[in-house]
Amino acid sequence: AAGVIQSPRHLIKEKRETATLKCYPIPRHDTVYWYQQGPGQDPQFLISFYEKMQSDKGSIPDRFSAQQFSDYHSELNMSSLELGDSALYFCASSLVGLAGGRQETQYFGPGTRLLVL
Amino acid sequence: AQKITQTQPGMFVQEKEAVTLDCTYDTSDPSYGLFWYKQPSSGEMIFLIYQGSYDQQNATEGRYSLNFQKARKSANLVISASQLGDSAMYFCAMREYTGFQKLVFGTGTRLLVSP
């Protein structure tokens, strides 16, 4: 079965640079989520999109922005990178629709490991 | 306020034995879902099992089962017949169905399976 695809898998940037992370959800999934997992921490929700519209927002810095495109892929744009942005960034997707329940399980991509030097 | 609590930072189990990983949650939403994810050292987040708040029976998925006690607000993961490949970090997570779609995670339990 197709899974969530994220690119790149690893990224090294300097402070104050910009990074763009890409996510391709599971086909027919209508919702994309972004999470940030710092070293030794649990994943923290950043932002989500349902049918290309922002549906929920967590503790996402103003330096970050995201969008979902017509083909349902999503991009997380991170500017003015700081050392503290070094983390594992997950994209997840689910089928929300009207089903509810188990069908709304979020399936995670392999993550993008970002290191800011 | 912490919505998901995992009180066991680490657990040890011998191969072929069963192990229970604890998870308690806090919500005022009558409709919610509880999830367990496995994160091996390679970093990916693997979905294991789901329990809905209205489900009458405890969820099972192969060697994984969820001991759901709604009145106590607990959703413990039981892994039967542990294997060396089960060594990983395990996260309990909750999604409330009123308004928001995000998952809220616990701090995780690191499981080590020994031969």
Side-chain angles (χ1 to χ4, degrees):
Chain A
V4 177
I5 297 171
Q6 289 187 251
S7 66
R9 295 291 307 277
H10 302 272
L11 194 56
I12 300 175
K13 290 287 185 177
E14 299 278 340
K15 278 195 324 183
R16 291 180 288 279
E17 284 191 326
T18 296
T20 297
L21 310 185
K22 295 186 178 182
C23 168
Y24 296 84
I26 292 172
R28 292 183 298 280
H29 277 192
D30 54 18
T31 306
V32 165
Y33 313 79
W34 287 95
Y35 293 86
Q36 177 192 58
Q37 186 179 27
Q41 298 181 0
D42 53 286
Q44 296 293 315
F45 172 74
L46 293 177
I47 196 166
S48 64
F49 294 87
Y50 169 68
E51 287 290 344
K52 293 158 279 184
M53 299 283 289
Q54 183 182 308
S55 54
D56 196 4
K57 197 171 181 181
S59 48
I60 182 170
D62 292 340
R63 300 177 289 107
F64 294 7
S65 65
Q67 57 182 324
Q68 187 178 28
F69 295 87
S70 58
D71 64 353
Y72 288 89
H73 95 271
S74 179
E75 294 184 3
L76 177 66
N77 298 292
M78 311 159 69
S79 62
S80 303
L81 287 169
E82 301 173 357
L83 296 179
D85 296 329
S86 296
L88 185 56
Y89 290 83
F90 286 109
C91 172
S93 74
S94 72
L95 178 62
V96 174
L98 300 174
R102 192 191 192 285
Q103 289 91 329
E104 295 184 26
T105 295
Q106 294 182 25
Y107 293 92
F108 284 70
T112 294
R113 199 171 291 277
L114 173 65
L115 178 61
V116 181
L117 301 176
Chain B
Q2 183 69 30
K3 292 200 168 189
I4 296 285
T5 302
Q6 294 182 254
T7 57
Q8 307 154 314
M11 291 283 286
F12 293 90
V13 67
Q14 276 202 308
E15 209 177 358
K16 299 186 180 68
E17 291 186 347
V19 62
T20 298
L21 307 184
D22 294 342
C23 172
T24 57
Y25 60 93
D26 182 32
T27 181
S28 55
D29 191 336
S31 181
Y32 52 89
L34 296 159
F35 303 81
W36 278 91
Y37 287 87
K38 171 185 178 182
Q39 187 173 40
S41 57
S42 51
E44 67 265 35
M45 195 72 74
I46 302 166
F47 165 71
L48 295 178
I49 195 165
Y50 162 85
Q51 181 82 44
S53 58
Y54 294 117
D55 292 344
Q56 296 296 312
Q57 293 187 320
N58 287 344
T60 60
E61 293 279 354
R63 293 187 299 111
Y64 304 108
S65 60
L66 205 151
N67 183 1
F68 180 47
Q69 298 188 42
K70 195 170 180 177
R72 297 180 59 188
K73 292 189 175 179
S74 74
N76 299 339
L77 177 70
V78 180
I79 305 175
S80 63
S82 297
Q83 302 172 356
L84 296 178
D86 294 334
S87 292
M89 194 74 163
Y90 288 80
F91 288 98
C92 179
M94 179 176 69
R95 181 199 150 149
E96 293 166 327
Y97 285 96
T98 304
F100 305 114
Q101 303 168 354
K102 65 182 179 185
L103 286 176
V104 176
F105 287 83
T107 51
T109 296
R110 184 167 298 281
L111 176 67
L112 182 60
V113 181
S114 59

mmCIF file of all heavy atoms in Angstrom, chain A residues 81-107:
data_model
loop_
_atom_site.group_PDB
_atom_site.id
_atom_site.type_symbol
_atom_site.label_atom_id
_atom_site.label_comp_id
_atom_site.label_asym_id
_atom_site.label_seq_id
_atom_site.Cartn_x
_atom_site.Cartn_y
_atom_site.Cartn_z
ATOM 1 N N LEU A 81 15.956 30.348 9.849
ATOM 2 C CA LEU A 81 16.135 29.175 10.693
ATOM 3 C C LEU A 81 16.999 29.466 11.914
ATOM 4 O O LEU A 81 17.974 30.222 11.848
ATOM 5 C CB LEU A 81 16.750 28.039 9.871
ATOM 6 C CG LEU A 81 15.794 27.373 8.872
ATOM 7 C CD1 LEU A 81 16.555 26.459 7.921
ATOM 8 C CD2 LEU A 81 14.712 26.604 9.612
ATOM 9 N N GLU A 82 16.598 28.841 13.017
ATOM 10 C CA GLU A 82 17.323 28.970 14.279
ATOM 11 C C GLU A 82 17.817 27.590 14.693
ATOM 12 O O GLU A 82 17.311 26.563 14.230
ATOM 13 C CB GLU A 82 16.388 29.536 15.356
ATOM 14 C CG GLU A 82 15.803 30.885 15.017
ATOM 15 C CD GLU A 82 14.759 31.349 16.006
ATOM 16 O OE1 GLU A 82 14.435 30.581 16.951
ATOM 17 O OE2 GLU A 82 14.254 32.480 15.850
ATOM 18 N N LEU A 83 18.810 27.593 15.589
ATOM 19 C CA LEU A 83 19.357 26.315 16.060
ATOM 20 C C LEU A 83 18.259 25.420 16.635
ATOM 21 O O LEU A 83 18.262 24.199 16.449
ATOM 22 C CB LEU A 83 20.432 26.561 17.108
ATOM 23 C CG LEU A 83 21.681 27.311 16.636
ATOM 24 C CD1 LEU A 83 22.649 27.507 17.801
ATOM 25 C CD2 LEU A 83 22.382 26.583 15.498
ATOM 26 N N GLY A 84 17.302 26.053 17.322
ATOM 27 C CA GLY A 84 16.217 25.315 17.963
ATOM 28 C C GLY A 84 15.232 24.679 17.000
ATOM 29 O O GLY A 84 14.363 23.917 17.430
ATOM 30 N N ASP A 85 15.353 25.001 15.719
ATOM 31 C CA ASP A 85 14.479 24.384 14.722
ATOM 32 C C ASP A 85 14.969 22.989 14.327
ATOM 33 O O ASP A 85 14.267 22.279 13.605
ATOM 34 C CB ASP A 85 14.394 25.268 13.473
ATOM 35 C CG ASP A 85 13.740 26.611 13.757
ATOM 36 O OD1 ASP A 85 12.872 26.669 14.653
ATOM 37 O OD2 ASP A 85 14.103 27.596 13.080
ATOM 38 N N SER A 86 16.154 22.629 14.780
ATOM 39 C CA SER A 86 16.670 21.291 14.494
ATOM 40 C C SER A 86 15.746 20.252 15.114
ATOM 41 O O SER A 86 15.524 20.249 16.329
ATOM 42 C CB SER A 86 18.080 21.130 15.071
ATOM 43 O OG SER A 86 18.989 22.013 14.453
ATOM 44 N N ALA A 87 15.187 19.398 14.280
ATOM 45 C CA ALA A 87 14.178 18.454 14.746
ATOM 46 C C ALA A 87 13.836 17.498 13.618
ATOM 47 O O ALA A 87 14.306 17.647 12.483
ATOM 48 C CB ALA A 87 12.906 19.192 15.189
ATOM 49 N N LEU A 88 12.994 16.532 13.946
ATOM 50 C CA LEU A 88 12.411 15.624 12.966
ATOM 51 C C LEU A 88 11.025 16.160 12.632
ATOM 52 O O LEU A 88 10.207 16.371 13.534
ATOM 53 C CB LEU A 88 12.344 14.210 13.562
ATOM 54 C CG LEU A 88 11.882 13.051 12.691
ATOM 55 C CD1 LEU A 88 12.724 12.936 11.435
ATOM 56 C CD2 LEU A 88 11.952 11.760 13.499
ATOM 57 N N TYR A 89 10.782 16.417 11.374
ATOM 58 C CA TYR A 89 9.503 16.966 10.943
ATOM 59 C C TYR A 89 8.714 15.876 10.224
ATOM 60 O O TYR A 89 9.154 15.325 9.222
ATOM 61 C CB TYR A 89 9.710 18.179 10.039
ATOM 62 C CG TYR A 89 10.244 19.366 10.793
ATOM 63 C CD1 TYR A 89 11.610 19.490 11.053
ATOM 64 C CD2 TYR A 89 9.386 20.326 11.301
ATOM 65 C CE1 TYR A 89 12.108 20.557 11.782
ATOM 66 C CE2 TYR A 89 9.871 21.403 12.032
ATOM 67 C CZ TYR A 89 11.229 21.508 12.272
ATOM 68 O OH TYR A 89 11.713 22.567 13.004
ATOM 69 N N PHE A 90 7.542 15.604 10.780
ATOM 70 C CA PHE A 90 6.678 14.588 10.206
ATOM 71 C C PHE A 90 5.519 15.231 9.469
ATOM 72 O O PHE A 90 4.943 16.224 9.913
ATOM 73 C CB PHE A 90 6.083 13.699 11.305
ATOM 74 C CG PHE A 90 7.032 12.720 11.903
ATOM 75 C CD1 PHE A 90 7.487 12.893 13.198
ATOM 76 C CD2 PHE A 90 7.443 11.605 11.187
ATOM 77 C CE1 PHE A 90 8.354 11.982 13.767
ATOM 78 C CE2 PHE A 90 8.306 10.686 11.756
ATOM 79 C CZ PHE A 90 8.766 10.881 13.042
ATOM 80 N N CYS A 91 5.181 14.608 8.372
ATOM 81 C CA CYS A 91 3.917 14.861 7.720
ATOM 82 C C CYS A 91 3.068 13.610 7.923
ATOM 83 O O CYS A 91 3.592 12.486 7.887
ATOM 84 C CB CYS A 91 4.146 15.126 6.237
ATOM 85 S SG CYS A 91 2.642 15.229 5.262
ATOM 86 N N ALA A 92 1.794 13.796 8.160
ATOM 87 C CA ALA A 92 0.868 12.676 8.283
ATOM 88 C C ALA A 92 -0.352 12.978 7.430
ATOM 89 O O ALA A 92 -0.641 14.138 7.123
ATOM 90 C CB ALA A 92 0.455 12.466 9.740
ATOM 91 N N SER A 93 -1.056 11.927 7.029
ATOM 92 C CA SER A 93 -2.287 12.150 6.289
ATOM 93 C C SER A 93 -3.374 11.218 6.792
ATOM 94 O O SER A 93 -3.093 10.174 7.391
ATOM 95 C CB SER A 93 -2.070 11.967 4.781
ATOM 96 O OG SER A 93 -1.924 10.605 4.426
ATOM 97 N N SER A 94 -4.601 11.633 6.580
ATOM 98 C CA SER A 94 -5.741 10.813 6.978
ATOM 99 C C SER A 94 -6.920 11.112 6.068
ATOM 100 O O SER A 94 -6.920 12.101 5.330
ATOM 101 C CB SER A 94 -6.122 11.083 8.434
ATOM 102 O OG SER A 94 -6.718 12.356 8.570
ATOM 103 N N LEU A 95 -7.913 10.258 6.144
ATOM 104 C CA LEU A 95 -9.160 10.460 5.414
ATOM 105 C C LEU A 95 -10.205 10.838 6.444
ATOM 106 O O LEU A 95 -10.666 9.988 7.204
ATOM 107 C CB LEU A 95 -9.561 9.188 4.670
ATOM 108 C CG LEU A 95 -10.887 9.259 3.905
ATOM 109 C CD1 LEU A 95 -10.808 10.315 2.814
ATOM 110 C CD2 LEU A 95 -11.224 7.906 3.305
ATOM 111 N N VAL A 96 -10.527 12.117 6.502
ATOM 112 C CA VAL A 96 -11.473 12.595 7.504
ATOM 113 C C VAL A 96 -12.889 12.400 7.001
ATOM 114 O O VAL A 96 -13.661 11.613 7.535
ATOM 115 C CB VAL A 96 -11.200 14.070 7.855
ATOM 116 C CG1 VAL A 96 -12.259 14.617 8.779
ATOM 117 C CG2 VAL A 96 -9.833 14.191 8.513
ATOM 118 N N GLY A 97 -13.244 13.115 5.932
ATOM 119 C CA GLY A 97 -14.541 12.969 5.297
ATOM 120 C C GLY A 97 -15.666 12.928 6.314
ATOM 121 O O GLY A 97 -15.711 13.686 7.258
ATOM 122 N N LEU A 98 -16.578 12.001 6.121
ATOM 123 C CA LEU A 98 -17.704 11.851 7.037
ATOM 124 C C LEU A 98 -17.636 10.537 7.782
ATOM 125 O O LEU A 98 -18.546 10.182 8.522
ATOM 126 C CB LEU A 98 -19.023 11.932 6.256
ATOM 127 C CG LEU A 98 -19.266 13.236 5.492
ATOM 128 C CD1 LEU A 98 -20.521 13.138 4.660
ATOM 129 C CD2 LEU A 98 -19.327 14.409 6.446
ATOM 130 N N ALA A 99 -16.514 9.811 7.606
ATOM 131 C CA ALA A 99 -16.462 8.454 8.139
ATOM 132 C C ALA A 99 -16.283 8.437 9.651
ATOM 133 O O ALA A 99 -16.981 7.744 10.370
ATOM 134 C CB ALA A 99 -15.355 7.672 7.459
ATOM 135 N N GLY A 100 -15.337 9.182 10.107
ATOM 136 C CA GLY A 100 -15.050 9.167 11.542
ATOM 137 C C GLY A 100 -14.388 7.890 11.985
ATOM 138 O O GLY A 100 -14.179 6.975 11.198
ATOM 139 N N GLY A 101 -14.034 7.841 13.242
ATOM 140 C CA GLY A 101 -13.515 6.610 13.819
ATOM 141 C C GLY A 101 -12.171 6.213 13.279
ATOM 142 O O GLY A 101 -11.322 7.048 12.984
ATOM 143 N N ARG A 102 -11.995 4.892 13.127
ATOM 144 C CA ARG A 102 -10.693 4.359 12.760
ATOM 145 C C ARG A 102 -10.238 4.884 11.398
ATOM 146 O O ARG A 102 -9.045 5.008 11.158
ATOM 147 C CB ARG A 102 -10.767 2.831 12.718
ATOM 148 C CG ARG A 102 -9.402 2.181 12.642
ATOM 149 C CD ARG A 102 -9.547 0.705 12.343
ATOM 150 N NE ARG A 102 -8.313 -0.011 12.541
ATOM 151 C CZ ARG A 102 -7.285 0.042 11.700
ATOM 152 N NH1 ARG A 102 -7.344 0.778 10.623
ATOM 153 N NH2 ARG A 102 -6.188 -0.650 11.945
ATOM 154 N N GLN A 103 -11.191 5.184 10.529
ATOM 155 C CA GLN A 103 -10.806 5.667 9.205
ATOM 156 C C GLN A 103 -10.033 6.971 9.275
ATOM 157 O O GLN A 103 -9.392 7.352 8.306
ATOM 158 C CB GLN A 103 -12.064 5.871 8.342
ATOM 159 C CG GLN A 103 -12.719 4.580 7.921
ATOM 160 C CD GLN A 103 -13.780 4.153 8.925
ATOM 161 O OE1 GLN A 103 -13.661 4.420 10.106
ATOM 162 N NE2 GLN A 103 -14.805 3.494 8.453
ATOM 163 N N GLU A 104 -10.114 7.681 10.401
ATOM 164 C CA GLU A 104 -9.395 8.940 10.514
ATOM 165 C C GLU A 104 -8.005 8.758 11.090
ATOM 166 O O GLU A 104 -7.366 9.723 11.480
ATOM 167 C CB GLU A 104 -10.207 9.912 11.362
ATOM 168 C CG GLU A 104 -11.515 10.302 10.713
ATOM 169 C CD GLU A 104 -12.269 11.330 11.518
ATOM 170 O OE1 GLU A 104 -11.632 12.093 12.261
ATOM 171 O OE2 GLU A 104 -13.499 11.365 11.409
ATOM 172 N N THR A 105 -7.520 7.544 11.145
ATOM 173 C CA THR A 105 -6.169 7.310 11.628
ATOM 174 C C THR A 105 -5.175 8.108 10.809
ATOM 175 O O THR A 105 -5.251 8.143 9.578
ATOM 176 C CB THR A 105 -5.832 5.814 11.538
ATOM 177 O OG1 THR A 105 -6.678 5.101 12.428
ATOM 178 C CG2 THR A 105 -4.382 5.556 11.906
ATOM 179 N N GLN A 106 -4.251 8.748 11.487
ATOM 180 C CA GLN A 106 -3.206 9.506 10.816
ATOM 181 C C GLN A 106 -2.017 8.593 10.566
ATOM 182 O O GLN A 106 -1.475 7.995 11.495
ATOM 183 C CB GLN A 106 -2.791 10.702 11.668
ATOM 184 C CG GLN A 106 -3.905 11.733 11.824
ATOM 185 C CD GLN A 106 -3.508 12.933 12.627
ATOM 186 O OE1 GLN A 106 -2.334 13.292 12.715
ATOM 187 N NE2 GLN A 106 -4.498 13.591 13.220
ATOM 188 N N TYR A 107 -1.629 8.519 9.304
ATOM 189 C CA TYR A 107 -0.470 7.718 8.916
ATOM 190 C C TYR A 107 0.687 8.674 8.649
ATOM 191 O O TYR A 107 0.548 9.640 7.894
ATOM 192 C CB TYR A 107 -0.787 6.874 7.686
ATOM 193 C CG TYR A 107 -1.819 5.810 7.985
ATOM 194 C CD1 TYR A 107 -3.173 6.053 7.788
ATOM 195 C CD2 TYR A 107 -1.433 4.568 8.497
ATOM 196 C CE1 TYR A 107 -4.121 5.082 8.095
ATOM 197 C CE2 TYR A 107 -2.379 3.599 8.794
ATOM 198 C CZ TYR A 107 -3.717 3.869 8.593
ATOM 199 O OH TYR A 107 -4.653 2.910 8.912
#
